[in-house]
């Protein structure tokens, strides 16, 4: 994928926020930086499949707000990127045979009782069989864009769509254990899609307290690390993200900090300027959302070292834990 194009913005300096949250975050940053120093001293995430992110599983759900962790947005394909991986890659593509999101089992009692989380696994595994349908244009507020894409894959053929569903299932279990009501935008339970606009509507209709779209990137070899994509301020057509910009940034920061802590993975070395956070204005899944929402690119499937992590079940469990811990931290304030 390319990381330039309409609406792409480099991470902007954060304006200081006031109040208890600022104090809490300031207290946590030294810990996050210490963790990062340990990470750097041992040479980053493990190079062996399944050994990555040797950091211990999260001991708590408190925020690890690392403002230095940035996330790149799903941007148009860059050199070396998979031609099938597009900016909104594999998002909301409406299928006529499925009219409601995959429902979760009844939530258990826990700290998130009464909270609704929508998980958006990027790219339906069946999209490649429905190229005509997913190539149709849909309105994303600022312009029109493809309904969905097929997503990318590792060089050995492990599909992004398979990765995103696996992580989504693991997250659902973890969040339900915390008492949340969890819904998926798709669970390979429809022929294709949903389209990016429908994916946004699913979260909106559910009145979600948080929505996270799961992805893996398809950039060039040597490009490594994760990134979180935040919505920019958009007011055009059906899109008005202004009310969700700040809460979405808070959600993204909590996820990024916890992702580093749990997986040991580094922020992207090719977008976001090492911050792990990138703002985008050209993604329908974000533009049309009326509830706090972010994307996370968990790594680069086209880099052999990142691919070794993404194809490891043990590492995917850590990824799910890190993202879930970030959501829990955000929802508990």
């Amino acid at each position: 994928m390319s990381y330039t194009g309409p609406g792409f913005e480099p991470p902007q300096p954060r304006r200081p926020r006031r109040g208890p949250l600022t104090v809490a975050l300031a207290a946590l940053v030294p810990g996050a930086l210490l963790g990062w120093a340990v990470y750097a001293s041992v040479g980053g995430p493990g190079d062996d499949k399944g050994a990555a992110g040797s950091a211990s599983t999260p001991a708590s759900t408190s925020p690890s707000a690392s403002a230095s962790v940035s996330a790149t947005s799903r941007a148009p394909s860059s050199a070396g990127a998979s031609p099938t991986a597009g900016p909104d890659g594999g998002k909301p593509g409406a299928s006529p045979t499925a009219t409601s999101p995959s429902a979760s089992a009844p939530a258990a009692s826990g700290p998130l009782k009464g909270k609704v989380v929508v998980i958006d696994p990027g790219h339906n595994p069946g999209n490649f069989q429905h190229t005509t349908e997913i190539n149709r244009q849909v309105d994303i507020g600022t312009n029109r864009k493809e309904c969905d894409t097929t997503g990318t894959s590792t060089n050995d053929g492990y599909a992004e769509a398979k990765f995103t569903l696996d992580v989504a299932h693991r997250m659902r279990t973890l969040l339900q254990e915390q008492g949340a009501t969890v819904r998926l935008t798709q669970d390979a339970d429809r022929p294709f899609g949903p389209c990016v606009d429908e994916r946004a509507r699913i979260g909106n209709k559910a009145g979600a307290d948080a929505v996270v779209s799961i992805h893996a990137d398809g950039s060039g070899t040597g490009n490594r690390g994760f990134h979180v994509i935040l919505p920019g301020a958009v007011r055009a057509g059906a899109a008005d993200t202004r009310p969700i910009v700040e809460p979405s940034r808070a959600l993204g920061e909590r996820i990024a900090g916890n992702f580093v802590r749990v997986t040991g993975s580094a922020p992207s070395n090719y977008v976001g300027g090492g911050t792990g956070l990138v703002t985008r204005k050209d993604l329908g899944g974000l533009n049309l959302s009326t509830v706090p929402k972010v994307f996370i690119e968990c790594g680069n499937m086209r880099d052999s070292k990142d691919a070794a992590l993404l194809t490891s079940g043990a590492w995917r469990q850590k990824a799910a834990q890190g993202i879930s811990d970030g959501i829990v931290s955000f929802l508990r304030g």
Side-chain angles (χ1 to χ4, degrees):
M1 297 181 180
S2 120
Y3 291 88
T4 57
F8 180 85
E9 299 179 351
Q12 300 297 318
R14 294 186 55 205
R15 293 188 231 170
R17 292 193 250 174
R18 298 174 185 163
L21 177 58
T22 301
V23 176
L25 290 178
L28 288 167
V29 166
L33 293 177
L34 178 59
W36 178 250
V38 173
Y39 164 85
S41 69
V42 297
D47 291 338
D48 295 330
K49 191 170 182 179
S54 57
S56 61
T57 53
S60 72
T61 56
S62 61
S64 177
S66 170
S68 67
V69 178
S70 95
T72 89
S73 60
R74 287 190 82 71
S77 274
S78 63
S82 164
T84 60
D88 240 350
K91 306 212 189 356
S95 164
T97 60
T99 57
S100 62
S102 301
S104 68
S109 294
L112 297 190
K113 186 72 174 178
K115 298 294 186 180
V116 177
V117 177
V118 171
I119 304 172
D120 180 27
H123 316 286
N124 187 314
N127 279 357
F128 76 98
Q129 295 178 318
H130 295 273
T131 54
T132 299
E133 292 90 342
I134 67 171
N135 283 332
R136 72 181 180 85
Q137 300 283 299
V138 298
D139 186 0
I140 65 167
T142 53
N143 61 301
R144 297 182 70 80
K145 188 175 265 188
E146 294 85 355
C147 155
D148 206 345
T149 73
T150 60
T152 188
S153 68
T154 66
N155 293 330
D156 291 333
Y158 179 65
E160 180 185 0
K162 184 175 180 179
F163 168 82
T164 63
L165 271 178
D166 182 81
V167 173
H169 292 160
R170 294 170 189 267
M171 287 176 58
R172 178 170 59 189
T173 298
L174 292 167
L175 291 166
Q176 285 176 343
E177 289 172 351
Q178 295 290 317
T181 297
V182 182
R183 298 177 182 172
L184 271 58
T185 58
Q186 60 91 10
D187 198 2
D189 52 356
R190 54 192 293 162
F192 63 91
C195 293
V196 294
D197 55 342
E198 185 185 352
R199 288 178 188 251
R201 286 195 299 271
I202 289 170
N204 298 345
K205 185 175 180 180
D209 296 286
V211 184
V212 178
S213 190
I214 310 299
H215 291 274
D217 204 4
S219 188
T221 299
N223 290 340
R224 298 196 62 194
F226 78 92
H227 49 277
V228 176
I229 304 167
L230 312 174
V234 171
R235 187 184 184 189
D240 186 356
T241 63
R242 293 173 300 170
I244 69 163
V245 166
E246 285 305 313
S248 295
R249 172 171 283 274
L251 172 62
E253 289 172 350
R254 298 296 180 96
I255 288 174
N258 280 279
F259 199 84
V260 167
R261 177 177 62 83
V262 180
T263 67
S265 290
S268 169
N269 65 6
Y270 57 103
V271 286
T275 66
L277 300 173
V278 171
T279 300
R280 289 290 297 276
K281 294 182 178 180
D282 62 340
L283 300 179
L286 296 179
N287 286 0
L288 301 175
S289 182
T290 59
V291 294
K293 182 174 182 178
V294 299
F295 283 32
I296 181 168
E297 299 274 8
C298 296
N300 176 21
M301 300 196 103
R302 294 297 187 175
D303 177 83
S304 60
K305 292 181 179 179
D306 269 11
L309 308 182
L310 297 166
T311 54
S312 162
W315 188 87
R316 291 196 300 273
Q317 184 64 30
K318 291 182 180 182
Q321 186 76 62
I323 299 169
S324 298
D325 281 1
I327 294 171
V328 172
S329 174
F330 169 75
L331 293 180
R332 298 189 70 181

